Amino acid sequence: MAKILAVDDSASMRQMVSFTLKGAGFEVVEAVDGQDAFKKAQTEKVNLVLTDVNMPNMDGITLIRQLRTLPNYKFTPMLMLTTESADNKKSEGKAAGATGWLVKPFNPEQLIATIKKVLG
Amino acid sequence: MNNNQLEQHTYTNESMVYSNQYLTFMLAGEEYGVDILRVQEIKGWNKATVIPNTPEYIKGVINLRGTIVPIVDLRSRFGLENAEYGPTTVVIVLKVVGGDGNRTVGIVVDAVSDVYNVSADEIKQPPDFGRAMSVDFIKGLAAVSEKMVIILDIDHLLNSSVALPLDVSVN
Amino acid sequence: MSIDMSQFHQTFFEESFEGLGVMESGLLNLDVGTADVDVVNAIFRAAHSIKGGAATFGFSSVAGFTHVMETLLDEMRDQRREVAEETVNLLLLSVDCLRDLLVSARDGSPVDAPRVVDIQKKLEDLLSYKKEGGSGVDQHAKVEKEHGKGWNIEFSPYVNMLITGNDPVRMLGELNYLGDMSVKVDVSKMPAFKDINPEECYLSWNISIKTDISSEKISEIFDWVDGECDLKIEQIFTEVDKELIESNGDSSGHINDKIKDDHSHDKPSVEEKKPSSDRRASSGSAENSSIRVSIDKVDDLINMVGELVIIQSMLAQLGKDFDNSQIAMLRDGLSQLERNTRELQESVMRIRMLPISFAFNRFPRMVHDLSKKLGKEIELKMSGESTEMDKTVMEKIGDPLVHLVRNSIDHGIEMPDDRKAAGKPSAGLLHLNAYHKGGNIMIEISDDGGGLNKEKITKKAKDRGLIKEDELLSEEQINDLIFLPGFSTADIVSDVSGRGVGMDVVKRNIHDLGGKIEVVSKEGKGTSFVIRLPLTLAILDGQLVSAGDQIYIVPLVSIIESLQISEKNMSLIAGKAEVYKIRDEYIPIIRLYEAFNIPPKNTNLNGGLLVVVEGDGKKAGILVDDLLDQQQVVIKSLETNFKRVEGVSGATILGDGTVALIMDVSSLIRLSHQASLPGSKTPTFIANGKAA
């Protein structure tokens, strides 16, 4: 069963994502910001990282950049959750090593579809 | 068992489905009944704390495991002559349903009598007593074991007893 | 699978309102001096979260409005826009507006649509004035040609494409889903086996796909690797189409599509939501019936209950084969029980306690707005915000505090010029302080304004007939006059504090909570209001008194003093009303046994015990038979099962299990003023000589 790290400082978003993914059969690890996520990613290996961009303590883009330095996260799919299709955030994310992004608002079905496509 | 007895047995089972159980008590020689589902508990009589400026039939309030419960003396409420409280005097604590919420109220009675099954169709309409007694308080009359039991409507009876306007008017 | 999103709504609203608090306090802090980039970021993040959640959970008007705020904040945090006072004020107004929108989204209450539209327009105007060469709308969007039978895709990943975790297999898989496809792989770039780096991509593909799907959908699949690959999407035309295109002189054989998807800014549909029938519109206040408790408090409670269980089993054990030799152990156990019960009581009370910051938090904003409105400079200082008080008491003390603060700002603190002329700093100081003292919570509201004007107050009181012309009052008494009903020395009843909600209402509200308020003032220097409140509404400090064989509780907070009646101070008015002289005032005597219709023990006033009380600004002396203990009593409601009784505010259960009534002093005084008191008798004692 694939394990997904869901990172967002908004509790309601975390709950929604977690609930949705668990319902689709994924295991979910939740983190409240980049720092929290980075720690958790090292304690247990996840198959995919789903992270919000704007968070205190460590933002999503920095998180991705940090994770990419870890050998077993070199090729792990990492998706950013953004609320705008503003190009600068996307390219910044990509430069940091993000696989892709999901634009908020998304509905649960979209989330699951995308995750499934990425995890194969 | 022969067929007749079987039938009777079945009949009784049916009637048990449709009948209510009533707790009856004595008050000035008359037997009254209240829906047993409304009876919370039965206590011996203990002195109640008097509340100022309340009608005579409100004996006061007691402490029922931390809740303040008012006690109504039914003899007084019904305008019957007062009696000395004796060893059989009990307080029946009842759950009363009202428009403004539910209450717990206790009534002082002479003695507890029995528990009977009374089916709905066994309760007859009471005659109109005129102004002697309000018929609102009475659900009806039932004949049980050759006795007449007065089935009380405790919601009407006790809500009105407790919620009566005060004697003293205040701005 | 469809998920019911409403289960996340409550969390969303809770965190959004918290976020609004963060935004508001952040914005207020920004006002002072230079913009702290961390603060701006925090404000931005709060708005960003609210927008994201609102959009996800379908609250489109909230999302749309917040989006504009967020855009403005984004510019500020990127330092593309300076933090100007005008901007901050507009954002503060927007926070208010957003709060209303959230409340409306949560409760279905109607929203002030014109206001929302107005503020949003102001935000947009501000944005467009300093527009940054536009975002989003791509000028190069090409028109789709929908006819054609499919697409030819040349996909050549750059060598490092895999590093972002992207896998060409995924994209091929997605393409496969869209229609019949045939794939040709190009291995020409593969190096010799020994030189192959497994982390690099050397392959490219040529895909033909038969589909009606637009090229937009095709390129979407490659969105994530835009810039990390070469992508060519060519339409496969039928012969007929080709002819048509050539004849029209249309040169595009390649339709290299990179149509950017753009979310156009939603204009919020400011719908007036119809209130749903099973939800009541909330007043927007912080009142709700749940409480957040820190885990520590709960753990304390669990520990204490554990100890209680131990003590109980110990006593039970003792009780089994008890004999007199075990009395010492019994006493021991009982005193442990007493200690434990007290600790448990305090522990439970603490659960209901929240820091007073919840009540104080509204003031920075209020002082900011009010001082601006009145043209005054006010510095707000708050201390003791972590002082805890009962949740319900705090909710009820809110309005009185607001009134007192408004009063200080409106009437207390002078205009900057007047202050300078008086040698004071132009900014007035308003200090809110809270602390615990002797089982009570004390709240002080002090200002260094002009203080209470003795002359004005005295004059007004005389005008209103509240005091007599030649009455001499101490400074303290004069200051207390402001608590009398209908008293307001504001020349113009400002809509700020003079709206008939007078100090008397404040005093009464505080009194209803079992508390007291006092004022200390020095003309020219300032005014200080001191409020004392019990730590909880459920417990009362009471004086037990007896009348006849009944015991009553008089709230200590209402008692001024108790004394033994001395005949020479007794007087009778009009042959009926008895009064007693204390220092220089006459107070009416209430015979408790008369008021409550109890067979008395003592009807002789001389040498009797008089409890002097105050309720609702009026004083009286209550004649009782005996003064008993002073103790803390737990207030039990009389109205749960009975009804409200005049003269009685509740009941309590004494140590022996019997019920004792708690006196409502104000009501009792009111009762005794009635012309006819049931069961009133002519006094048995008549003073000799002194007629009033």
Side-chain angles (χ1 to χ4, degrees):
Chain A
M1 195 164 46
K3 206 183 275 190
I4 300 176
L5 177 58
V7 194
D8 199 317
D9 61 336
S10 153
S12 58
M13 285 304 291
R14 266 200 323 272
Q15 282 177 13
M16 191 273 276
V17 166
S18 192
F19 185 83
T20 305
L21 294 176
K22 282 184 182 160
F26 295 102
E27 240 187 271
V28 181
V29 178
E30 290 181 40
V32 303
D33 58 42
Q35 210 168 61
D36 187 26
F38 191 62
K39 270 195 265 185
K40 291 190 167 139
Q42 297 178 70
T43 330
E44 51 189 315
K45 175 80 168 70
V46 301
N47 307 108
L48 184 141
V49 178
L50 188 63
T51 175
D52 190 20
V53 172
N54 293 290
M55 298 180 293
N57 296 326
M58 191 197 286
D59 66 82
I61 293 181
T62 310
L63 168 66
I64 290 176
R65 192 176 298 122
Q66 292 294 324
L67 284 173
R68 285 286 181 225
T69 67
L70 301 174
N72 49 349
Y73 281 103
K74 234 175 164 182
F75 298 102
T76 308
M78 299 184 192
L79 303 177
M80 306 187 297
L81 296 174
T82 66
T83 55
E84 59 257 273
S85 30
D87 287 344
N88 63 329
K89 273 290 176 262
K90 285 186 202 162
S91 52
E92 219 186 301
K94 282 223 293 207
T99 309
W101 55 82
L102 262 161
V103 181
K104 288 197 263 193
F106 49 80
N107 60 44
E109 288 80 21
Q110 283 174 296
L111 177 64
I112 296 174
T114 307
I115 304 265
K116 283 197 167 147
K117 278 188 219 159
V118 171
L119 287 176
Chain B
M1 256 196 281
N2 63 29
N3 271 355
N4 275 344
Q5 281 172 317
L6 253 174
E7 265 179 7
Q8 244 179 354
H9 191 70
T10 325
Y11 178 74
T12 321
N13 277 339
E14 277 176 7
S15 74
M16 266 158 68
V17 171
Y18 294 121
S19 75
N20 280 327
Q21 283 194 315
Y22 288 87
L23 173 76
T24 64
F25 57 86
M26 301 305 297
L27 199 66
E30 299 294 328
E31 192 157 355
Y32 296 81
V34 289
D35 184 349
I36 202 153
L37 292 173
R38 297 303 200 83
V39 177
Q40 189 175 300
E41 64 192 272
I42 301 174
K43 289 176 53 116
W45 162 256
N46 279 107
K47 225 174 85 136
T49 302
V50 173
I51 307 230
N53 304 317
T54 50
E56 208 205 308
Y57 54 79
I58 306 270
K59 298 300 293 179
V61 288
I62 61 166
N63 162 25
L64 193 68
R65 288 182 300 283
T67 316
I68 310 287
V69 174
I71 307 293
V72 175
D73 182 313
L74 278 190
R75 271 182 179 255
S76 195
R77 185 72 179 93
F78 290 160
L80 305 168
E81 61 174 69
N82 282 347
E84 280 288 320
Y85 287 0
T88 56
T89 309
V90 286
V91 173
I92 304 178
V93 181
L94 298 162
K95 284 176 275 215
V96 179
V97 175
D100 54 344
N102 295 350
R103 296 190 149 91
T104 307
V105 182
I107 54 173
V108 186
V109 303
D110 292 347
V112 166
S113 189
D114 215 324
V115 176
Y116 299 117
N117 291 323
V118 181
S119 64
D121 53 338
E122 284 175 88
I123 303 182
K124 312 288 178 212
Q125 273 276 32
D128 189 355
F129 294 115
R131 292 180 66 232
M133 176 188 259
S134 173
V135 171
D136 283 344
F137 302 161
I138 300 180
K139 273 214 187 118
L141 306 171
V144 183
S145 306
E146 296 158 14
K147 300 179 287 183
M148 181 191 81
V149 173
I150 307 163
I151 306 290
L152 289 173
D153 180 340
I154 59 158
D155 291 334
H156 259 111
L157 173 62
L158 294 175
N159 274 322
S160 66
S161 308
V162 159
L164 271 188
L166 295 165
D167 294 329
V168 181
S169 65
V170 201
N171 17 336
Chain C
M1 157 178 68
S2 71
I3 293 183
D4 179 15
M5 292 289 220
S6 59
Q7 60 185 302
F8 309 116
H9 286 181
Q10 189 187 357
T11 312
F12 164 70
F13 283 119
E14 273 171 24
E15 75 191 9
S16 296
F17 284 115
E18 271 178 34
L20 280 180
V22 167
M23 288 178 76
E24 188 171 51
S25 61
L27 285 165
L28 286 170
N29 281 333
L30 273 184
D31 204 9
V32 186
T34 56
D36 181 344
V37 102
D38 283 337
V39 176
V40 184
N41 258 307
I43 304 172
F44 168 84
R45 275 202 305 274
H48 179 81
S49 275
I50 296 176
K51 187 188 92 167
T56 306
F57 300 116
F59 302 114
S60 48
S61 42
V62 175
F65 185 84
T66 318
H67 176 83
V68 192
M69 290 175 73
E70 185 206 38
T71 313
L72 192 57
L73 286 161
D74 197 16
E75 288 184 4
M76 285 161 76
R77 75 167 179 157
D78 276 354
Q79 316 223 351
R80 283 178 282 145
R81 172 181 291 276
E82 62 166 5
V83 181
E85 186 172 329
E86 168 197 62
T87 318
V88 171
N89 283 338
L90 180 57
L91 283 169
L92 278 171
L93 285 175
S94 312
V95 167
D96 289 338
C97 201
L98 184 52
R99 193 174 277 125
D100 284 345
L101 282 170
L102 278 167
V103 170
S104 162
R106 182 187 66 186
D107 303 332
S109 54
V111 92
D112 184 352
R115 177 163 156 244
V116 175
V117 170
D118 173 54
I119 295 192
Q120 179 157 348
K121 176 142 193 331
K122 287 201 173 90
L123 286 166
E124 284 165 351
D125 285 344
L126 211 55
L127 278 169
S128 63
Y129 177 70
K130 215 177 185 279
K131 197 148 190 162
E132 285 293 312
S135 62
V137 184
D138 194 311
Q139 307 298 334
H140 307 294
K142 290 234 175 3
V143 174
E144 269 296 303
K145 283 206 170 62
E146 288 287 333
H147 45 244
K149 287 286 175 269
W151 305 93
N152 239 342
I153 304 162
E154 281 173 35
F155 174 43
S156 312
Y158 294 163
V159 111
N160 286 322
M161 193 190 84
L162 302 175
I163 274 182
T164 51
N166 276 294
D167 190 346
V169 173
R170 167 186 74 81
M171 291 149 227
L172 293 171
E174 284 193 58
L175 282 173
N176 193 23
Y177 199 67
L178 293 178
D180 281 340
M181 75 176 198
S182 65
V183 184
K184 268 200 307 244
V185 62
D186 180 352
V187 299
S188 57
K189 294 226 189 63
M190 288 277 288
F193 190 73
K194 62 175 168 58
D195 296 324
I196 289 181
N197 181 345
E199 297 184 353
E200 293 182 343
C201 181
Y202 307 106
L203 305 172
S204 41
W205 291 264
N206 208 310
I207 305 137
S208 293
I209 182 165
K210 285 197 181 49
T211 177
D212 289 331
I213 299 234
S214 67
S215 73
E216 188 184 278
K217 282 264 175 293
I218 307 253
S219 69
E220 245 177 49
I221 294 175
F222 297 95
D223 254 352
W224 290 353
V225 291
D226 177 27
E228 292 173 67
C229 67
D230 280 335
L231 185 66
K232 247 196 246 175
I233 307 179
E234 260 180 6
Q235 187 146 50
I236 303 172
F237 289 110
T238 62
E239 290 304 314
V240 179
D241 293 324
K242 275 206 182 127
E243 276 173 25
L244 269 173
I245 290 166
E246 277 164 17
S247 69
N248 282 343
D250 196 318
S251 61
S252 54
H254 298 288
I255 298 177
N256 201 344
D257 264 278
K258 294 218 168 180
I259 295 176
K260 288 191 168 59
D261 204 35
D262 177 50
H263 281 244
S264 60
H265 296 202
D266 279 303
K267 285 267 179 283
S269 49
V270 189
E271 317 106 14
E272 306 253 355
K273 292 213 165 86
K274 283 193 288 290
S276 71
S277 54
D278 48 280
R279 286 189 291 181
R280 281 179 301 144
S282 100
S283 59
S285 73
E287 293 196 35
N288 56 26
S289 54
S290 67
I291 201 171
R292 273 198 192 177
V293 183
S294 86
I295 279 264
D296 300 331
K297 289 185 183 175
V298 178
D299 286 339
D300 282 345
L301 206 53
I302 292 178
N303 285 339
M304 247 153 263
V305 172
E307 285 180 33
L308 186 63
V309 169
I310 293 172
I311 296 174
Q312 185 266 335
S313 67
M314 188 261 266
L315 287 170
Q317 191 65 25
L318 263 185
K320 271 206 189 125
D321 293 301
F322 189 71
D323 63 50
N324 287 347
S325 68
Q326 293 172 299
I327 286 200
M329 282 181 73
L330 182 63
R331 279 222 186 91
D332 205 24
L334 287 173
S335 78
Q336 269 186 58
L337 187 61
E338 187 198 334
R339 224 176 20 247
N340 181 272
T341 313
R342 202 174 347 113
E343 279 173 9
L344 195 55
Q345 176 200 42
E346 284 168 17
S347 203
V348 169
M349 267 162 51
R350 251 181 266 128
I351 289 205
R352 266 189 132 259
M353 310 243 285
L354 292 172
I356 202 174
S357 53
F358 280 89
F360 278 3
N361 274 351
R362 71 183 82 182
F363 288 119
R365 179 65 192 277
M366 197 183 99
V367 170
H368 172 268
D369 290 347
L370 207 47
S371 55
K372 285 235 168 341
K373 184 170 171 181
L374 296 173
K376 298 186 180 173
E377 287 169 37
I378 312 237
E379 189 192 314
L380 174 66
K381 181 166 154 210
M382 301 198 297
S383 52
E385 294 111 303
S386 57
T387 310
E388 292 198 334
M389 64 190 296
D390 179 273
K391 181 181 194 275
T392 308
V393 175
M394 180 147 61
E395 281 165 6
K396 297 198 174 165
I397 201 68
D399 283 347
L401 286 180
V402 166
H403 186 86
L404 290 169
V405 166
R406 281 184 158 162
N407 192 74
S408 263
I409 299 178
D410 201 11
H411 304 304
I413 296 185
E414 318 93 319
M415 296 295 290
D417 289 335
D418 297 331
R419 287 183 62 88
K420 277 202 274 230
K424 293 183 184 176
S426 62
L429 176 66
L430 178 61
H431 186 194
L432 266 63
N433 186 25
Y435 56 94
H436 284 148
K437 182 171 156 189
N440 286 310
I441 182 170
M442 311 292 293
I443 308 175
E444 288 169 2
I445 302 163
S446 325
D447 65 63
D448 65 349
L452 292 177
N453 186 322
K454 274 207 300 279
E455 264 180 49
K456 256 183 154 180
I457 295 177
T458 327
K459 182 173 184 310
K460 206 75 171 192
K462 288 183 180 155
D463 286 347
R464 302 268 165 92
L466 296 166
I467 55 173
K468 292 205 280 288
E469 268 305 320
D470 52 355
E471 215 170 314
L472 278 173
L473 299 166
S474 69
E475 188 174 312
E476 200 186 293
Q477 286 171 315
I478 294 177
N479 288 342
D480 281 341
L481 287 173
I482 61 170
F483 291 118
L484 293 174
F487 196 98
S488 168
T489 53
D491 299 314
I492 308 159
V493 172
S494 69
D495 80 295
V496 168
S497 56
R499 225 179 331 193
V501 180
M503 282 296 175
D504 63 318
V505 175
V506 169
K507 183 167 181 179
R508 192 159 358 113
N509 285 348
I510 291 174
H511 205 78
D512 284 346
L513 292 169
K516 256 193 160 127
I517 180 170
E518 273 164 15
V519 63
V520 176
S521 174
K522 223 131 197 81
E523 252 180 274
K525 288 271 162 46
T527 312
S528 202
F529 287 98
V530 181
I531 299 172
R532 186 181 65 184
L533 290 168
L535 278 179
T536 164
L537 285 178
I539 297 201
L540 170 74
D541 287 316
Q543 166 71 57
L544 270 68
V545 301
S546 74
D549 59 354
Q550 295 289 322
I551 297 182
Y552 295 94
I553 319 271
V554 185
L556 273 182
V557 83
S558 304
I559 299 182
I560 300 175
E561 62 186 287
S562 304
L563 47 88
Q564 201 163 28
I565 294 180
S566 122
E567 190 185 327
K568 61 180 165 65
N569 292 328
M570 291 286 319
S571 283
L572 196 60
I573 301 180
K576 271 187 83 181
E578 300 166 303
V579 292
Y580 195 76
K581 185 165 185 285
I582 295 186
R583 291 180 280 281
D584 24 332
E585 58 180 319
Y586 288 90
I587 58 168
I589 293 181
I590 301 174
R591 293 173 181 255
L592 189 57
Y593 62 85
E594 267 180 19
F596 282 174
N597 235 323
I598 318 156
K601 271 213 199 108
N602 169 40
T603 55
N604 196 346
L605 279 176
N606 194 13
L609 287 164
L610 198 70
V611 180
V612 183
V613 295
E614 189 204 350
D616 249 0
K618 301 195 179 63
K619 291 204 179 106
I622 304 179
L623 175 71
V624 302
D625 285 334
D626 241 323
L627 280 178
L628 307 167
D629 281 337
Q630 275 185 13
Q631 67 178 69
Q632 254 193 357
V633 297
V634 177
I635 303 174
K636 295 274 183 193
S637 164
L638 207 54
E639 293 168 64
T640 312
N641 290 319
F642 193 49
K643 63 182 170 204
R644 204 169 171 338
V645 177
E646 282 300 325
V648 174
S649 68
T652 187
I653 294 167
L654 298 174
D656 62 357
T658 59
V659 178
L661 298 179
I662 301 172
M663 220 183 275
D664 180 342
V665 169
S666 316
S667 164
L668 189 61
I669 295 178
R670 225 179 9 248
L671 262 185
S672 75
H673 282 186
Q674 311 287 167
S676 59
L677 199 59
S680 71
K681 308 176 181 125
T682 26
T684 54
F685 178 88
I686 299 176
N688 22 333
K690 308 225 179 102

